[in-house]
C-alpha cells in the first residue's frame, strides 16, 4: 500500500468525476480523519492498510508452509523431477 498521491487532477480522474463533483467528494473522502489520512504527501486508508498487512501475513505463512512441504517431499525422495 504505497498510498495515493495528493494530486487533485489525478484523484479526480481515478474517481471518474467532474471537477465540480470532485470538490464535494474530496471533502467527504479525503477528510484526513475517518476515510483517508495524508501521511508524507500520500493519502492512506487505514482499513485498507490493515487488510493488506493481514492478507500478506496469511500469504507469507502459506507460502512458507508450501516451501517446507516441497523440500520435505524432495528430501524423502517422493518428489518427481521436472525437466
Amino acid at each position: 500500500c504505497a498510498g495515493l498521491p495528493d494530486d487533485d487532477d489525478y484523484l479526480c480522474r481515478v474517481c471518474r468525476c467532474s471537477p465540480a463533483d470532485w470538490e464535494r467528494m474530496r471533502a467527504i473522502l479525503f477528510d484526513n480523519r475517518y476515510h483517508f489520512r495524508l501521511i508524507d504527501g500520500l493519502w492512506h486508508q487505514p482499513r485498507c492498510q490493515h487488510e493488506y498487512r493481514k492478507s500478506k501475513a496469511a500469504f507469507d505463512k502459506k507460502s512458507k508452509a508450501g516451501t517446507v512441504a516441497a523440500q520435505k517431499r524432495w528430501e524423502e525422495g517422493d518428489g518427481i523431477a521436472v525437466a
Side-chain angles (χ1 to χ4, degrees), residues 16-74:
R16 294 181 160 195
C17 64
S18 69
D21 288 338
W22 172 245
E23 290 301 320
R24 187 171 42 99
M25 287 179 61
R26 180 183 169 95
I28 295 168
L29 294 174
F30 294 87
D31 60 0
N32 209 26
R33 186 171 176 184
Y34 294 110
H35 300 290
F36 284 86
R37 295 187 181 142
L38 187 62
I39 302 169
D40 296 328
L42 295 172
W43 289 102
H44 297 275
Q45 211 289 331
R47 171 73 188 270
C48 184
Q49 288 178 320
H50 170 75
E51 293 297 331
Y52 174 78
R53 284 192 293 270
K54 190 167 87 172
S55 175
K56 182 159 177 18
F59 175 83
D60 291 345
K61 181 178 178 183
K62 288 181 181 183
S63 177
K64 183 178 179 182
T67 300
V68 168
Q71 287 175 344
K72 186 175 180 182
R73 279 194 307 273
W74 282 100

